[in-house]
Structures are given as structure tokens and as C-alpha cells.
Amino acid sequence: MLEWSRQRPDDGFVIGVTLRLRGPKPTAGQIAALITARLPQVPALAQHLDGPVGAEVWRPDSGFDAIRHVHTPDRATHPALLVEALGNQPVWEDRPRWGIWLGDTERKGEYLLAYRVHHGAQDGTAAAYTLSRLLDARNPAVPLSGARHGAVPGADAPAPNRSRLLATADVPLEAMRAISRRTGASLNDIYLAALAGALRAWQPPAERDQPAAVRVPFSVRSRQERQDRGNRVGYARMLLPVDEPKPAHRLALVVQQTGDWPRERTRRLLDRMPHHLLWKHIAASLTPGDSLASVTLLGIPTPMAFNGASVTAGIATPPLTAGHLFSSVLFLHRAGATLSFTAQEQHQHVRDLPRLWQCAVAELAAAISP
């Protein structure tokens, strides 16, 4: 991923999750104290991936200081604008490739905590693992009264760009679970089938007569492996049945394709392939024109909180690579879920997709009702 991002610097290789917490906003120093205390559980936060192309290695960051990775916006802004701005927020390249941003919400007694990381350093599973370890509500609280950095406002962040839009929608999770109970389909199947319905309503009529190819990443990380760094992911190319007019039939066609992800085969390839062949294998899934979009699901089931402030919701920002028209991610945390789409800023019509996806879920629920 790091090599690919160097070859395609205009792509979006920084991913992340923005969490909404109910409680008093902490200082940058308090967040730094939390990171320092939890570092034994996520040591990758103090490791830097770098080196020449083809010979990148992980090295301990000799000058690591958590406060250098905590950032606060210069001024308050609406949460939706902040989340979209963070979708265009890079991370420093001369240190471990991640950062945490603190922001305000429209409600008193709430705040935003955003974790951003370069895809070369972590895939979505590793990023979710990191957040779950930093904010695990079941862990003993970290003493914050003596936070070393006190009221330090946080570190400077790289200048953001304005190349990507981010459109989101709350997910009718109970409706999706009801569909799952009636059909046996997974939440991921329902997500993909509804996306096919949304694309059918979104695309011009002339483009609705054939399926739409998308790339769906899936984790091949085993429990015995390190969970906090690197990429252990495969990509399945599947055809969304945009050409099928009946919602229930669309779901059935999706289920046929998702029944058996090639996890074991992909894991063996990642473990045994020499670098030059592995590069060719991965590049095939990131070739422009291979598919319309990248579509993924990311969940953090662990209850999360910071200093008594519970995480109530979250928005994930997916990568935008390989010339894809858009990328989407469905983020699940306990009883909440949010769907987000990202695209290059000139594709403003992508902002219609979250609403059309919600409509497609309602159509599917009506179609399978007894």
C-alpha cells in the first residue's frame, strides 16, 4: 500500500474513523497520556514504516512522543464539515503515519475524536483494533490529572487538501437485522444488495442493463498474527446486480457471490509469494478500470469510552484508490451504524447515494415482508 501510494499520490490512502463521544472534551495532553498508557497494547503507534521502494521496514520511532500525533482544529466548525475536511487530512510522513484530531459537535457536552492512519501502516481491521484498545470501556481508567503535557493545544498537522467529498447517512440497522432474520443473509449481503438498488436508481437508464463490478476487501488476519499494523487483506471482485429490478432477487444474487470468500488461499499467497509476484497480484485489484468502486464493512463491537465519555456513534472514511468512482463503508458500533461514501470532489452526484441506499433498504424490507 505504501508503494502504491507513492506511485499514485493523488489517490486517497489515509483512512480513519471519527467517533462521537458524550462527555467533556479532553485536552490534547490527556489524549497523549491515554496513548502512552495503552502503547503496550498497540506498539505499532510508536513504529514507523519507511524505506526505499520494495524494501520498506518497520522501525521504532526513536523520538516518539504521543503529543506530536494529537491535533486540534484552529477554529470550531460544524461536525459534518469537520468530518468531511478530515477526509482530506493527510498524516505526517516523517514519523509513525497516524494522528488523532479533536473537534466539537453541535450539542453541548459532546465532542468528536477522529483517528486517521495511512493505509500502508494499517488496514481497516488494524485501525479498528487500535481504536478498540485505546478506548476499551472495560479497561481501568487512565489517570489524567497529571498528564505530562497539561494544556498544550496539540501538534501542528499537515495542510489538508480539498480533493474529496464525504456523504453520510444513518443506517436503519434494526430494519437490516429484520431482513437478516427473515432471509438468513448477512448484514454485509444486505448492505451490498441495497447498494445495487441504490446504483440502479442513481445510474442513467442506459447503464442499468448490466451488473456493476466492485471490489470488496476482506480480512485474512488470523488471531495468532499481530493485530495492530500492516495489511492482511484480500479483494474479491463481485458483480452487483444493478440489472435486476426485484429487490429480493438482488439479495439472492448477492448471497450467491459472498458465500465463500477465498480467505485461506489469499492468506497462503500473502505468506509465500516473493515480493515481485505479490506486487503483481495486488496491483491487479488496484488497476484503474477494474471496478466501479470499493465497498467495505467495518465494525467495532467493543464498548468504547474515554474518561467516562461513551462513544455513541461513528463515521468511517474509506480509501479512494485505483481510479474508483467512489468508495463506501458501512461502520457498525454496537447499536449504531453509519454509511459513508467518498469520491473526488467533482463527482457531487455521489452525494445522492446515501439517501438512495436508505430507500433501497426500505424497498428490500417491504419485498420480503410476510
Side-chain angles (χ1 to χ4, degrees), residues 179-180 182-183 185-186 188-201 239-257 356-369:
I179 295 170
S180 179
R182 293 188 193 118
T183 64
S186 69
N188 193 49
D189 293 332
I190 296 163
Y191 163 41
L192 293 171
L195 181 57
L199 288 173
R200 181 175 174 83
L239 299 176
L240 293 182
V242 175
D243 54 331
E244 171 54 59
K246 295 183 178 179
H249 290 180
R250 286 197 292 266
L251 178 59
L253 290 169
V254 166
V255 171
Q256 288 177 13
Q257 297 182 71
L356 294 173
W357 183 89
Q358 289 176 319
C359 293
V361 172
E363 291 172 355
L364 180 56
I368 58 98
S369 294

mmCIF file of all heavy atoms in Angstrom, residues 179-180 182-183 185-186 188-201 239-257 356-369:
data_model
loop_
_atom_site.group_PDB
_atom_site.id
_atom_site.type_symbol
_atom_site.label_atom_id
_atom_site.label_comp_id
_atom_site.label_asym_id
_atom_site.label_seq_id
_atom_site.Cartn_x
_atom_site.Cartn_y
_atom_site.Cartn_z
ATOM 1 N N ILE A 179 -34.384 -8.012 8.150
ATOM 2 C CA ILE A 179 -34.210 -8.671 6.851
ATOM 3 C C ILE A 179 -33.311 -9.893 7.006
ATOM 4 O O ILE A 179 -33.566 -10.966 6.431
ATOM 5 C CB ILE A 179 -33.612 -7.683 5.826
ATOM 6 C CG1 ILE A 179 -34.587 -6.546 5.550
ATOM 7 C CG2 ILE A 179 -33.252 -8.404 4.524
ATOM 8 C CD1 ILE A 179 -33.985 -5.400 4.750
ATOM 9 N N SER A 180 -32.252 -9.747 7.797
ATOM 10 C CA SER A 180 -31.340 -10.863 8.025
ATOM 11 C C SER A 180 -32.056 -12.035 8.689
ATOM 12 O O SER A 180 -31.854 -13.198 8.310
ATOM 13 C CB SER A 180 -30.163 -10.395 8.893
ATOM 14 O OG SER A 180 -29.280 -11.455 9.161
ATOM 15 N N ARG A 182 -35.186 -12.812 8.511
ATOM 16 C CA ARG A 182 -36.154 -13.436 7.599
ATOM 17 C C ARG A 182 -35.491 -14.221 6.479
ATOM 18 O O ARG A 182 -36.059 -15.187 5.974
ATOM 19 C CB ARG A 182 -37.061 -12.360 6.990
ATOM 20 C CG ARG A 182 -37.981 -11.672 7.977
ATOM 21 C CD ARG A 182 -38.987 -10.764 7.274
ATOM 22 N NE ARG A 182 -39.663 -9.888 8.212
ATOM 23 C CZ ARG A 182 -39.593 -8.568 8.198
ATOM 24 N NH1 ARG A 182 -38.876 -7.956 7.276
ATOM 25 N NH2 ARG A 182 -40.235 -7.839 9.088
ATOM 26 N N THR A 183 -34.306 -13.793 6.054
ATOM 27 C CA THR A 183 -33.699 -14.377 4.860
ATOM 28 C C THR A 183 -32.453 -15.211 5.136
ATOM 29 O O THR A 183 -32.043 -16.007 4.290
ATOM 30 C CB THR A 183 -33.311 -13.276 3.867
ATOM 31 O OG1 THR A 183 -32.297 -12.442 4.449
ATOM 32 C CG2 THR A 183 -34.523 -12.427 3.492
ATOM 33 N N ALA A 185 -29.587 -13.875 5.235
ATOM 34 C CA ALA A 185 -28.495 -13.093 4.647
ATOM 35 C C ALA A 185 -27.761 -12.330 5.741
ATOM 36 O O ALA A 185 -28.337 -11.956 6.766
ATOM 37 C CB ALA A 185 -29.037 -12.128 3.606
ATOM 38 N N SER A 186 -26.478 -12.108 5.531
ATOM 39 C CA SER A 186 -25.687 -11.336 6.489
ATOM 40 C C SER A 186 -25.954 -9.844 6.309
ATOM 41 O O SER A 186 -26.499 -9.406 5.287
ATOM 42 C CB SER A 186 -24.198 -11.612 6.294
ATOM 43 O OG SER A 186 -23.752 -11.063 5.063
ATOM 44 N N ASN A 188 -23.702 -7.735 5.716
ATOM 45 C CA ASN A 188 -22.896 -7.340 4.567
ATOM 46 C C ASN A 188 -23.636 -7.631 3.265
ATOM 47 O O ASN A 188 -23.610 -6.817 2.326
ATOM 48 C CB ASN A 188 -21.560 -8.071 4.591
ATOM 49 C CG ASN A 188 -20.562 -7.488 3.610
ATOM 50 O OD1 ASN A 188 -20.354 -6.279 3.571
ATOM 51 N ND2 ASN A 188 -19.951 -8.338 2.801
ATOM 52 N N ASP A 189 -24.320 -8.774 3.190
ATOM 53 C CA ASP A 189 -25.111 -9.092 1.997
ATOM 54 C C ASP A 189 -26.195 -8.040 1.766
ATOM 55 O O ASP A 189 -26.416 -7.582 0.632
ATOM 56 C CB ASP A 189 -25.780 -10.468 2.149
ATOM 57 C CG ASP A 189 -24.798 -11.616 2.181
ATOM 58 O OD1 ASP A 189 -23.712 -11.483 1.596
ATOM 59 O OD2 ASP A 189 -25.124 -12.646 2.801
ATOM 60 N N ILE A 190 -26.871 -7.665 2.842
ATOM 61 C CA ILE A 190 -27.961 -6.689 2.730
ATOM 62 C C ILE A 190 -27.410 -5.332 2.317
ATOM 63 O O ILE A 190 -28.001 -4.629 1.482
ATOM 64 C CB ILE A 190 -28.719 -6.619 4.071
ATOM 65 C CG1 ILE A 190 -29.372 -7.979 4.363
ATOM 66 C CG2 ILE A 190 -29.767 -5.511 4.064
ATOM 67 C CD1 ILE A 190 -29.783 -8.175 5.803
ATOM 68 N N TYR A 191 -26.273 -4.956 2.898
ATOM 69 C CA TYR A 191 -25.591 -3.714 2.527
ATOM 70 C C TYR A 191 -25.283 -3.691 1.034
ATOM 71 O O TYR A 191 -25.573 -2.709 0.332
ATOM 72 C CB TYR A 191 -24.325 -3.627 3.374
ATOM 73 C CG TYR A 191 -23.245 -2.672 2.946
ATOM 74 C CD1 TYR A 191 -23.517 -1.393 2.463
ATOM 75 C CD2 TYR A 191 -21.908 -3.051 3.079
ATOM 76 C CE1 TYR A 191 -22.485 -0.534 2.108
ATOM 77 C CE2 TYR A 191 -20.881 -2.192 2.734
ATOM 78 C CZ TYR A 191 -21.177 -0.940 2.237
ATOM 79 O OH TYR A 191 -20.152 -0.091 1.902
ATOM 80 N N LEU A 192 -24.742 -4.780 0.509
ATOM 81 C CA LEU A 192 -24.367 -4.843 -0.905
ATOM 82 C C LEU A 192 -25.598 -4.878 -1.805
ATOM 83 O O LEU A 192 -25.626 -4.231 -2.861
ATOM 84 C CB LEU A 192 -23.495 -6.070 -1.156
ATOM 85 C CG LEU A 192 -22.118 -6.042 -0.494
ATOM 86 C CD1 LEU A 192 -21.439 -7.408 -0.620
ATOM 87 C CD2 LEU A 192 -21.241 -4.968 -1.109
ATOM 88 N N ALA A 193 -26.628 -5.619 -1.404
ATOM 89 C CA ALA A 193 -27.845 -5.677 -2.215
ATOM 90 C C ALA A 193 -28.522 -4.314 -2.274
ATOM 91 O O ALA A 193 -29.036 -3.892 -3.329
ATOM 92 C CB ALA A 193 -28.801 -6.730 -1.656
ATOM 93 N N ALA A 194 -28.533 -3.600 -1.138
ATOM 94 C CA ALA A 194 -29.119 -2.261 -1.135
ATOM 95 C C ALA A 194 -28.282 -1.298 -1.976
ATOM 96 O O ALA A 194 -28.830 -0.394 -2.633
ATOM 97 C CB ALA A 194 -29.246 -1.745 0.296
ATOM 98 N N LEU A 195 -26.969 -1.495 -1.986
ATOM 99 C CA LEU A 195 -26.128 -0.660 -2.831
ATOM 100 C C LEU A 195 -26.447 -0.903 -4.305
ATOM 101 O O LEU A 195 -26.475 0.039 -5.111
ATOM 102 C CB LEU A 195 -24.653 -0.932 -2.551
ATOM 103 C CG LEU A 195 -23.655 -0.105 -3.357
ATOM 104 C CD1 LEU A 195 -23.887 1.391 -3.155
ATOM 105 C CD2 LEU A 195 -22.222 -0.466 -2.978
ATOM 106 N N ALA A 196 -26.701 -2.157 -4.660
ATOM 107 C CA ALA A 196 -27.110 -2.448 -6.038
ATOM 108 C C ALA A 196 -28.406 -1.720 -6.381
ATOM 109 O O ALA A 196 -28.556 -1.156 -7.473
ATOM 110 C CB ALA A 196 -27.279 -3.954 -6.229
ATOM 111 N N GLY A 197 -29.354 -1.701 -5.445
ATOM 112 C CA GLY A 197 -30.602 -0.980 -5.669
ATOM 113 C C GLY A 197 -30.389 0.519 -5.779
ATOM 114 O O GLY A 197 -31.010 1.191 -6.610
ATOM 115 N N ALA A 198 -29.498 1.049 -4.937
ATOM 116 C CA ALA A 198 -29.206 2.485 -4.995
ATOM 117 C C ALA A 198 -28.558 2.857 -6.325
ATOM 118 O O ALA A 198 -28.906 3.876 -6.937
ATOM 119 C CB ALA A 198 -28.289 2.872 -3.829
ATOM 120 N N LEU A 199 -27.627 2.027 -6.794
ATOM 121 C CA LEU A 199 -26.981 2.296 -8.070
ATOM 122 C C LEU A 199 -27.973 2.201 -9.226
ATOM 123 O O LEU A 199 -27.886 2.959 -10.196
ATOM 124 C CB LEU A 199 -25.827 1.314 -8.294
ATOM 125 C CG LEU A 199 -24.581 1.535 -7.428
ATOM 126 C CD1 LEU A 199 -23.586 0.398 -7.640
ATOM 127 C CD2 LEU A 199 -23.940 2.875 -7.738
ATOM 128 N N ARG A 200 -28.932 1.290 -9.114
ATOM 129 C CA ARG A 200 -29.946 1.167 -10.162
ATOM 130 C C ARG A 200 -30.765 2.453 -10.269
ATOM 131 O O ARG A 200 -31.099 2.904 -11.373
ATOM 132 C CB ARG A 200 -30.855 -0.031 -9.875
ATOM 133 C CG ARG A 200 -31.937 -0.258 -10.916
ATOM 134 C CD ARG A 200 -32.739 -1.526 -10.636
ATOM 135 N NE ARG A 200 -33.838 -1.625 -11.580
ATOM 136 C CZ ARG A 200 -33.737 -2.110 -12.811
ATOM 137 N NH1 ARG A 200 -32.568 -2.552 -13.246
ATOM 138 N NH2 ARG A 200 -34.778 -2.155 -13.616
ATOM 139 N N ALA A 201 -31.077 3.064 -9.128
ATOM 140 C CA ALA A 201 -31.836 4.314 -9.142
ATOM 141 C C ALA A 201 -30.971 5.509 -9.519
ATOM 142 O O ALA A 201 -31.479 6.513 -10.018
ATOM 143 C CB ALA A 201 -32.468 4.540 -7.767
ATOM 144 N N LEU A 239 -19.959 -8.765 -8.787
ATOM 145 C CA LEU A 239 -20.863 -8.031 -9.666
ATOM 146 C C LEU A 239 -22.149 -7.710 -8.918
ATOM 147 O O LEU A 239 -22.905 -8.623 -8.540
ATOM 148 C CB LEU A 239 -21.166 -8.848 -10.920
ATOM 149 C CG LEU A 239 -19.957 -9.198 -11.789
ATOM 150 C CD1 LEU A 239 -20.377 -10.098 -12.955
ATOM 151 C CD2 LEU A 239 -19.281 -7.938 -12.319
ATOM 152 N N LEU A 240 -22.388 -6.425 -8.670
ATOM 153 C CA LEU A 240 -23.639 -6.016 -8.043
ATOM 154 C C LEU A 240 -24.756 -6.099 -9.086
ATOM 155 O O LEU A 240 -24.630 -5.542 -10.184
ATOM 156 C CB LEU A 240 -23.543 -4.593 -7.507
ATOM 157 C CG LEU A 240 -22.593 -4.364 -6.332
ATOM 158 C CD1 LEU A 240 -22.652 -2.910 -5.893
ATOM 159 C CD2 LEU A 240 -22.896 -5.289 -5.174
ATOM 160 N N PRO A 241 -25.860 -6.769 -8.762
ATOM 161 C CA PRO A 241 -26.936 -6.986 -9.747
ATOM 162 C C PRO A 241 -27.789 -5.742 -9.985
ATOM 163 O O PRO A 241 -28.996 -5.728 -9.720
ATOM 164 C CB PRO A 241 -27.730 -8.141 -9.131
ATOM 165 C CG PRO A 241 -27.521 -7.988 -7.660
ATOM 166 C CD PRO A 241 -26.119 -7.475 -7.495
ATOM 167 N N VAL A 242 -27.166 -4.707 -10.516
ATOM 168 C CA VAL A 242 -27.879 -3.468 -10.821
ATOM 169 C C VAL A 242 -28.963 -3.702 -11.872
ATOM 170 O O VAL A 242 -29.978 -2.998 -11.912
ATOM 171 C CB VAL A 242 -26.871 -2.399 -11.302
ATOM 172 C CG1 VAL A 242 -27.573 -1.127 -11.746
ATOM 173 C CG2 VAL A 242 -25.868 -2.090 -10.188
ATOM 174 N N ASP A 243 -28.775 -4.720 -12.716
ATOM 175 C CA ASP A 243 -29.727 -5.009 -13.796
ATOM 176 C C ASP A 243 -30.955 -5.774 -13.326
ATOM 177 O O ASP A 243 -31.888 -5.960 -14.103
ATOM 178 C CB ASP A 243 -29.034 -5.801 -14.902
ATOM 179 C CG ASP A 243 -28.344 -7.056 -14.368
ATOM 180 O OD1 ASP A 243 -27.921 -7.047 -13.193
ATOM 181 O OD2 ASP A 243 -28.213 -8.039 -15.122
ATOM 182 N N GLU A 244 -30.982 -6.197 -12.062
ATOM 183 C CA GLU A 244 -32.129 -6.953 -11.544
ATOM 184 C C GLU A 244 -33.139 -5.990 -10.912
ATOM 185 O O GLU A 244 -32.821 -5.288 -9.952
ATOM 186 C CB GLU A 244 -31.646 -7.966 -10.501
ATOM 187 C CG GLU A 244 -32.753 -8.665 -9.740
ATOM 188 C CD GLU A 244 -33.786 -9.333 -10.635
ATOM 189 O OE1 GLU A 244 -33.411 -10.203 -11.431
ATOM 190 O OE2 GLU A 244 -34.982 -8.944 -10.542
ATOM 191 N N PRO A 245 -34.381 -5.936 -11.428
ATOM 192 C CA PRO A 245 -35.345 -4.957 -10.914
ATOM 193 C C PRO A 245 -35.965 -5.319 -9.568
ATOM 194 O O PRO A 245 -36.480 -4.439 -8.878
ATOM 195 C CB PRO A 245 -36.410 -4.909 -12.011
ATOM 196 C CG PRO A 245 -36.323 -6.246 -12.686
ATOM 197 C CD PRO A 245 -34.888 -6.656 -12.610
ATOM 198 N N LYS A 246 -35.948 -6.596 -9.170
ATOM 199 C CA LYS A 246 -36.633 -7.014 -7.948
ATOM 200 C C LYS A 246 -35.670 -7.048 -6.766
ATOM 201 O O LYS A 246 -34.646 -7.747 -6.820
ATOM 202 C CB LYS A 246 -37.269 -8.384 -8.148
ATOM 203 C CG LYS A 246 -38.380 -8.388 -9.204
ATOM 204 C CD LYS A 246 -39.029 -9.761 -9.316
ATOM 205 C CE LYS A 246 -40.158 -9.737 -10.343
ATOM 206 N NZ LYS A 246 -40.806 -11.069 -10.487
ATOM 207 N N PRO A 247 -35.968 -6.318 -5.694
ATOM 208 C CA PRO A 247 -35.045 -6.241 -4.552
ATOM 209 C C PRO A 247 -34.689 -7.606 -3.956
ATOM 210 O O PRO A 247 -33.514 -7.857 -3.648
ATOM 211 C CB PRO A 247 -35.798 -5.378 -3.545
ATOM 212 C CG PRO A 247 -36.731 -4.551 -4.370
ATOM 213 C CD PRO A 247 -37.131 -5.435 -5.513
ATOM 214 N N ALA A 248 -35.678 -8.483 -3.776
ATOM 215 C CA ALA A 248 -35.400 -9.796 -3.178
ATOM 216 C C ALA A 248 -34.486 -10.624 -4.066
ATOM 217 O O ALA A 248 -33.619 -11.355 -3.576
ATOM 218 C CB ALA A 248 -36.703 -10.534 -2.905
ATOM 219 N N HIS A 249 -34.667 -10.523 -5.380
ATOM 220 C CA HIS A 249 -33.785 -11.241 -6.300
ATOM 221 C C HIS A 249 -32.371 -10.675 -6.255
ATOM 222 O O HIS A 249 -31.390 -11.428 -6.382
ATOM 223 C CB HIS A 249 -34.352 -11.185 -7.715
ATOM 224 C CG HIS A 249 -35.595 -12.004 -7.885
ATOM 225 N ND1 HIS A 249 -36.283 -12.102 -9.078
ATOM 226 C CD2 HIS A 249 -36.290 -12.770 -7.004
ATOM 227 C CE1 HIS A 249 -37.339 -12.884 -8.934
ATOM 228 N NE2 HIS A 249 -37.363 -13.291 -7.672
ATOM 229 N N ARG A 250 -32.254 -9.362 -6.100
ATOM 230 C CA ARG A 250 -30.921 -8.761 -5.978
ATOM 231 C C ARG A 250 -30.194 -9.333 -4.765
ATOM 232 O O ARG A 250 -29.001 -9.656 -4.825
ATOM 233 C CB ARG A 250 -31.010 -7.235 -5.866
ATOM 234 C CG ARG A 250 -31.352 -6.537 -7.176
ATOM 235 C CD ARG A 250 -31.021 -5.048 -7.119
ATOM 236 N NE ARG A 250 -31.863 -4.310 -6.198
ATOM 237 C CZ ARG A 250 -32.978 -3.671 -6.537
ATOM 238 N NH1 ARG A 250 -33.417 -3.707 -7.792
ATOM 239 N NH2 ARG A 250 -33.671 -2.993 -5.637
ATOM 240 N N LEU A 251 -30.906 -9.457 -3.650
ATOM 241 C CA LEU A 251 -30.292 -10.008 -2.447
ATOM 242 C C LEU A 251 -29.844 -11.445 -2.682
ATOM 243 O O LEU A 251 -28.734 -11.839 -2.291
ATOM 244 C CB LEU A 251 -31.268 -9.941 -1.275
ATOM 245 C CG LEU A 251 -30.769 -10.527 0.057
ATOM 246 C CD1 LEU A 251 -29.497 -9.819 0.521
ATOM 247 C CD2 LEU A 251 -31.852 -10.435 1.129
ATOM 248 N N ALA A 252 -30.671 -12.247 -3.325
ATOM 249 C CA ALA A 252 -30.311 -13.641 -3.590
ATOM 250 C C ALA A 252 -29.067 -13.729 -4.476
ATOM 251 O O ALA A 252 -28.191 -14.588 -4.255
ATOM 252 C CB ALA A 252 -31.486 -14.362 -4.250
ATOM 253 N N LEU A 253 -28.958 -12.865 -5.463
ATOM 254 C CA LEU A 253 -27.799 -12.876 -6.345
ATOM 255 C C LEU A 253 -26.524 -12.460 -5.606
ATOM 256 O O LEU A 253 -25.430 -12.976 -5.890
ATOM 257 C CB LEU A 253 -28.045 -11.950 -7.537
ATOM 258 C CG LEU A 253 -29.094 -12.438 -8.549
ATOM 259 C CD1 LEU A 253 -29.446 -11.325 -9.538
ATOM 260 C CD2 LEU A 253 -28.582 -13.668 -9.290
ATOM 261 N N VAL A 254 -26.657 -11.535 -4.658
ATOM 262 C CA VAL A 254 -25.503 -11.149 -3.850
ATOM 263 C C VAL A 254 -25.063 -12.303 -2.958
ATOM 264 O O VAL A 254 -23.870 -12.629 -2.861
ATOM 265 C CB VAL A 254 -25.822 -9.901 -3.004
ATOM 266 C CG1 VAL A 254 -24.772 -9.693 -1.907
ATOM 267 C CG2 VAL A 254 -25.899 -8.666 -3.890
ATOM 268 N N VAL A 255 -26.010 -12.961 -2.304
ATOM 269 C CA VAL A 255 -25.694 -14.065 -1.404
ATOM 270 C C VAL A 255 -24.952 -15.176 -2.136
ATOM 271 O O VAL A 255 -24.026 -15.799 -1.596
ATOM 272 C CB VAL A 255 -26.974 -14.598 -0.739
ATOM 273 C CG1 VAL A 255 -26.698 -15.893 0.024
ATOM 274 C CG2 VAL A 255 -27.565 -13.555 0.211
ATOM 275 N N GLN A 256 -25.322 -15.425 -3.385
ATOM 276 C CA GLN A 256 -24.637 -16.445 -4.183
ATOM 277 C C GLN A 256 -23.155 -16.148 -4.334
ATOM 278 O O GLN A 256 -22.329 -17.061 -4.388
ATOM 279 C CB GLN A 256 -25.275 -16.548 -5.569
ATOM 280 C CG GLN A 256 -26.646 -17.192 -5.594
ATOM 281 C CD GLN A 256 -27.246 -17.193 -6.998
ATOM 282 O OE1 GLN A 256 -26.557 -16.933 -7.991
ATOM 283 N NE2 GLN A 256 -28.538 -17.476 -7.083
ATOM 284 N N GLN A 257 -22.803 -14.873 -4.382
ATOM 285 C CA GLN A 257 -21.410 -14.494 -4.620
ATOM 286 C C GLN A 257 -20.581 -14.387 -3.340
ATOM 287 O O GLN A 257 -19.360 -14.516 -3.378
ATOM 288 C CB GLN A 257 -21.347 -13.150 -5.351
ATOM 289 C CG GLN A 257 -21.979 -13.158 -6.737
ATOM 290 C CD GLN A 257 -21.829 -11.803 -7.408
ATOM 291 O OE1 GLN A 257 -20.743 -11.397 -7.813
ATOM 292 N NE2 GLN A 257 -22.953 -11.091 -7.513
ATOM 293 N N LEU A 356 -30.414 7.249 -1.505
ATOM 294 C CA LEU A 356 -30.928 6.184 -2.372
ATOM 295 C C LEU A 356 -30.687 4.811 -1.747
ATOM 296 O O LEU A 356 -31.513 3.903 -1.903
ATOM 297 C CB LEU A 356 -30.268 6.272 -3.750
ATOM 298 C CG LEU A 356 -30.615 7.521 -4.559
ATOM 299 C CD1 LEU A 356 -29.765 7.592 -5.824
ATOM 300 C CD2 LEU A 356 -32.107 7.543 -4.905
ATOM 301 N N TRP A 357 -29.581 4.669 -1.033
ATOM 302 C CA TRP A 357 -29.316 3.408 -0.336
ATOM 303 C C TRP A 357 -30.359 3.171 0.763
ATOM 304 O O TRP A 357 -30.857 2.056 0.926
ATOM 305 C CB TRP A 357 -27.906 3.427 0.240
ATOM 306 C CG TRP A 357 -27.519 2.146 0.908
ATOM 307 C CD1 TRP A 357 -26.938 1.047 0.343
ATOM 308 C CD2 TRP A 357 -27.724 1.822 2.287
ATOM 309 N NE1 TRP A 357 -26.759 0.066 1.277
ATOM 310 C CE2 TRP A 357 -27.233 0.517 2.486
ATOM 311 C CE3 TRP A 357 -28.263 2.513 3.376
ATOM 312 C CZ2 TRP A 357 -27.265 -0.109 3.724
ATOM 313 C CZ3 TRP A 357 -28.299 1.885 4.610
ATOM 314 C CH2 TRP A 357 -27.803 0.588 4.780
ATOM 315 N N GLN A 358 -30.689 4.210 1.523
ATOM 316 C CA GLN A 358 -31.727 4.068 2.546
ATOM 317 C C GLN A 358 -33.050 3.633 1.921
ATOM 318 O O GLN A 358 -33.762 2.765 2.459
ATOM 319 C CB GLN A 358 -31.911 5.396 3.286
ATOM 320 C CG GLN A 358 -30.764 5.765 4.203
ATOM 321 C CD GLN A 358 -30.949 7.136 4.835
ATOM 322 O OE1 GLN A 358 -31.379 8.088 4.176
ATOM 323 N NE2 GLN A 358 -30.622 7.257 6.114
ATOM 324 N N CYS A 359 -33.393 4.221 0.772
ATOM 325 C CA CYS A 359 -34.622 3.845 0.072
ATOM 326 C C CYS A 359 -34.568 2.384 -0.366
ATOM 327 O O CYS A 359 -35.575 1.660 -0.301
ATOM 328 C CB CYS A 359 -34.854 4.742 -1.140
ATOM 329 S SG CYS A 359 -35.217 6.472 -0.740
ATOM 330 N N ALA A 360 -33.396 1.938 -0.805
ATOM 331 C CA ALA A 360 -33.254 0.558 -1.263
ATOM 332 C C ALA A 360 -33.425 -0.424 -0.110
ATOM 333 O O ALA A 360 -33.990 -1.519 -0.293
ATOM 334 C CB ALA A 360 -31.905 0.363 -1.939
ATOM 335 N N VAL A 361 -32.957 -0.068 1.090
ATOM 336 C CA VAL A 361 -33.178 -0.922 2.258
ATOM 337 C C VAL A 361 -34.675 -1.027 2.551
ATOM 338 O O VAL A 361 -35.199 -2.122 2.825
ATOM 339 C CB VAL A 361 -32.424 -0.389 3.477
ATOM 340 C CG1 VAL A 361 -32.824 -1.170 4.747
ATOM 341 C CG2 VAL A 361 -30.929 -0.480 3.267
ATOM 342 N N ALA A 362 -35.389 0.104 2.490
ATOM 343 C CA ALA A 362 -36.842 0.090 2.726
ATOM 344 C C ALA A 362 -37.560 -0.760 1.674
ATOM 345 O O ALA A 362 -38.484 -1.517 2.014
ATOM 346 C CB ALA A 362 -37.376 1.527 2.720
ATOM 347 N N GLU A 363 -37.144 -0.652 0.419
ATOM 348 C CA GLU A 363 -37.758 -1.471 -0.629
ATOM 349 C C GLU A 363 -37.518 -2.956 -0.400
ATOM 350 O O GLU A 363 -38.414 -3.786 -0.605
ATOM 351 C CB GLU A 363 -37.199 -1.058 -1.988
ATOM 352 C CG GLU A 363 -37.637 0.333 -2.438
ATOM 353 C CD GLU A 363 -36.910 0.779 -3.698
ATOM 354 O OE1 GLU A 363 -36.004 0.035 -4.151
ATOM 355 O OE2 GLU A 363 -37.227 1.869 -4.219
ATOM 356 N N LEU A 364 -36.307 -3.295 0.029
ATOM 357 C CA LEU A 364 -35.986 -4.700 0.296
ATOM 358 C C LEU A 364 -36.790 -5.221 1.493
ATOM 359 O O LEU A 364 -37.325 -6.332 1.449
ATOM 360 C CB LEU A 364 -34.484 -4.842 0.569
ATOM 361 C CG LEU A 364 -33.976 -6.246 0.867
ATOM 362 C CD1 LEU A 364 -34.319 -7.216 -0.245
ATOM 363 C CD2 LEU A 364 -32.460 -6.203 1.106
ATOM 364 N N ALA A 365 -36.914 -4.405 2.535
ATOM 365 C CA ALA A 365 -37.711 -4.828 3.693
ATOM 366 C C ALA A 365 -39.166 -5.063 3.303
ATOM 367 O O ALA A 365 -39.791 -6.042 3.743
ATOM 368 C CB ALA A 365 -37.617 -3.754 4.785
ATOM 369 N N ALA A 366 -39.717 -4.198 2.461
ATOM 370 C CA ALA A 366 -41.113 -4.367 2.005
ATOM 371 C C ALA A 366 -41.244 -5.599 1.138
ATOM 372 O O ALA A 366 -42.263 -6.316 1.213
ATOM 373 C CB ALA A 366 -41.567 -3.120 1.252
ATOM 374 N N ALA A 367 -40.238 -5.886 0.321
ATOM 375 C CA ALA A 367 -40.324 -7.004 -0.601
ATOM 376 C C ALA A 367 -40.305 -8.362 0.094
ATOM 377 O O ALA A 367 -40.899 -9.326 -0.407
ATOM 378 C CB ALA A 367 -39.177 -6.942 -1.610
ATOM 379 N N ILE A 368 -39.638 -8.441 1.237
ATOM 380 C CA ILE A 368 -39.542 -9.759 1.906
ATOM 381 C C ILE A 368 -40.473 -9.863 3.111
ATOM 382 O O ILE A 368 -40.463 -10.841 3.836
ATOM 383 C CB ILE A 368 -38.089 -10.049 2.309
ATOM 384 C CG1 ILE A 368 -37.516 -8.985 3.238
ATOM 385 C CG2 ILE A 368 -37.208 -10.166 1.082
ATOM 386 C CD1 ILE A 368 -37.547 -9.297 4.666
ATOM 387 N N SER A 369 -41.314 -8.844 3.325
ATOM 388 C CA SER A 369 -42.267 -8.897 4.427
ATOM 389 C C SER A 369 -43.289 -10.002 4.175
ATOM 390 O O SER A 369 -43.717 -10.233 3.044
ATOM 391 C CB SER A 369 -43.004 -7.553 4.574
ATOM 392 O OG SER A 369 -42.110 -6.547 4.970
#
